[in-house]
Amino acid sequence: MSRWENKRFIMQQNNQWLKLRHKVIVALARYPLGLYCRWKYGIKIEKFDQQGNRPYLIIMNHQTAFDQFFVSLTFNRPVYFIASEDLFSKGWISDIIRYVGAPIPIKKQTLDLQAVKNCIKVAREGGSIALAPEGNRTYHGRTLYMKSGIASLVKKLGMPLAIFRIEGGYGAHPRWSDVVRRGKMRSFVSRVVEPEEYASMTSEELFALIKEELWVDEGRVTGSFHHKKNAEFLERAMYVCPWCGLTTFESHGDIIHCTKCGRKIRHLPTKELQGVDCEFPHRFVADWYDWQSSYINKTDLTELTEAPLYTETARCSLVIPNKRKQLLNKEAKVQLYGDRIVVDDRVMPLGETGAVVVLGKNKLNIYFGKELLQLKGSKRFNALKYVHFFHRYKNETAGDSNEFLGL
């Protein structure tokens, strides 16, 4: 091999997505990570013995912050996860994540053609790819809305499709909670769909199959999940009181109470809700969440523009995607009106805002013009209401009967 051929070969290797170190890191981490996951979550991770040397496109429902590790422990080769751009805007931490696992970045709420190109590259190099079509963790235990474009991606990549189910995750660690309850979880490949099988399906038929296979309803009794703080930080998900409407809540232990009317609700280990010295009209968080969504969809936000409905403080940063975050104000004043979000002196009309997205438990991304602002409030900060208001306002002003509120 000549000097120039050798140089070209080295450049091609450096440009590869798949690296030998990924296999080494996965092999070294597998045993201790497996022990930790089983101890922390009480999960039964069922190995996928059919894999062999084939790469797969893995699609999964999304319940806990550790779901990606359950997937990695199921498959015998490195898995390359599609992850939101926030993961790549943490400076040196993002550099470590890229080095260790090389996730595939995607811009939330957009058609990201570069992400598709990267998936094709990983697939051609023989790598397995994993993603959660929901794009969000569930707040209430049921599988969330999925975009139909997932079927087109499956067909474009042409890989064997592994459908990965996680059960018990909402009971063990709800998105709104900081603590993991003691209970039982299970993760496993429920079905493999070969390229020859889905090639004969329409995109609509394939999408229907994906939705059916990933549907998990844990907004009901599915076992017992115990912790002394079973209700703590439920206010990250709930902001409408059945008795007094728009409000704020505060939780301690297994009790959450409305700061306006004072009524209290207990969260039981069975995930059931119980009024304290009163009758509570909703049996589960899922029922309450559905009612809350219906309440917002019946509210005329265009009439709620004179005074702020919520005023709170949050750490405000300007996100430079895939690079870093620039702190603007540690205690920015945030106000939510029926038609706009105001952060300090920035007035962002909902009609002119590109997207409002909740990340993690209670971080908020606001895409306005060419800027991406991120708000991180206190532990009790409810980011979800901003997402709901944004989508309700967009639907209402467009005369759209769509009741989808963003998650």
Side-chain angles (χ1 to χ4, degrees), residues 81-368:
F81 292 86
I82 295 179
S84 72
E85 60 188 347
D86 187 62
L87 189 66
F88 302 90
S89 304
K90 300 177 183 292
W92 62 270
I93 295 176
S94 297
D95 292 338
I96 293 174
I97 293 171
R98 287 191 188 94
Y99 182 84
V100 169
I104 303 167
I106 189 171
K107 295 177 182 177
K108 275 200 170 190
Q109 303 297 315
T110 63
L111 177 62
D112 193 341
L113 295 178
Q114 185 58 50
V116 175
K117 291 178 181 177
N118 289 336
C119 286
I120 293 171
K121 179 177 176 61
V122 172
R124 285 177 176 170
E125 292 179 14
S128 290
I129 301 167
L131 74 153
E134 297 163 272
N136 271 288
R137 283 173 60 191
T138 176
Y139 273 101
H140 46 67
R142 297 178 185 142
T143 301
L144 299 176
Y145 168 85
M146 296 178 234
K147 291 184 178 180
S148 59
I150 180 62
S152 298
L153 179 63
V154 172
K155 283 178 169 286
K156 192 171 191 67
L157 294 179
M159 304 170 71
L161 178 64
I163 298 175
F164 189 86
R165 285 175 64 90
I166 301 168
E167 298 175 353
Y170 173 76
H173 195 187
R175 180 174 182 175
W176 43 263
S177 176
D178 280 353
V179 298
V180 177
R181 292 109 164 92
R182 289 297 175 189
K184 291 184 178 180
M185 282 187 66
R186 180 189 178 203
S187 67
F188 59 103
V189 174
S190 65
R191 180 170 177 177
V192 172
V193 187
E194 297 292 345
E196 297 79 13
E197 181 180 352
Y198 64 68
S200 62
M201 297 180 181
T202 65
S203 293
E204 291 75 17
E205 290 170 337
L206 178 56
F207 183 51
L209 181 149
I210 290 170
K211 288 196 295 182
E212 180 181 356
E213 289 291 332
L214 289 183
W215 172 252
V216 175
D217 180 7
E218 294 188 5
R220 56 191 177 86
V221 176
T222 56
S224 293
F225 299 88
H226 296 270
H227 199 284
K228 63 182 180 181
K229 296 181 179 180
N230 264 358
E232 202 151 286
F233 303 127
L234 181 53
E235 59 267 41
R236 291 168 176 168
M238 310 314 301
Y239 59 93
V240 183
C241 174
W243 294 285
C244 60
L246 292 173
T247 187
T248 56
F249 290 92
E250 188 171 318
S251 60
H252 299 280
D254 65 349
I255 300 289
I256 183 171
H257 75 272
C258 173
T259 60
K260 189 183 291 186
C261 70
R263 286 183 173 88
K264 298 178 180 179
I265 306 106
R266 176 173 283 111
H267 191 291
L268 303 175
T270 56
K271 295 179 286 186
E272 292 173 287
L273 301 174
Q274 182 183 81
V276 178
D277 299 325
C278 64
E279 288 292 325
F280 188 64
H282 307 296
R283 187 179 175 191
F284 298 99
V285 170
D287 302 325
W288 188 4
Y289 187 96
D290 287 346
W291 176 85
Q292 175 175 266
S293 299
S294 178
Y295 180 97
I296 296 302
N297 276 316
K298 292 175 182 176
T299 300
D300 185 354
L301 295 184
T302 61
E303 294 184 352
L304 303 175
T305 61
E306 295 300 318
L309 301 169
Y310 292 91
T311 299
E312 46 204 336
T313 59
R315 183 184 180 93
C316 179
S317 300
L318 180 66
V319 179
I320 295 89
N322 299 321
K323 292 183 180 179
R324 59 187 175 84
K325 298 174 187 176
Q326 177 186 330
L327 178 63
L328 299 179
N329 191 344
K330 287 184 178 180
E331 294 187 347
K333 182 180 180 181
V334 184
Q335 295 178 303
L336 176 61
Y337 295 78
D339 65 343
R340 63 194 184 277
I341 300 171
V342 180
V343 181
D344 288 336
D345 58 350
R346 281 179 169 83
V347 180
M348 295 172 282
L350 296 179
E352 299 172 22
T353 300
V356 180
V357 180
V358 61
L359 302 172
K361 297 167 186 173
N362 64 340
K363 285 191 294 187
L364 188 72
N365 273 10
I366 304 172
Y367 296 77
F368 185 74

Side-chain angles (χ1 to χ4, degrees), residues 11-50:
M11 288 176 66
Q12 287 176 337
Q13 282 205 317
N14 289 339
N15 194 41
Q16 282 191 316
W17 201 282
L18 277 62
K19 307 288 186 183
L20 176 60
R21 65 172 179 267
H22 301 153
K23 291 184 179 180
V24 175
I25 290 169
V26 166
L28 292 175
R30 185 176 297 279
Y31 182 71
L33 183 60
L35 287 179
Y36 179 80
C37 287
R38 292 177 181 91
W39 168 78
K40 185 75 172 178
Y41 286 93
I43 187 170
K44 180 182 179 183
I45 301 172
E46 299 182 15
K47 290 283 293 180
F48 182 54
D49 295 327
Q50 303 173 33

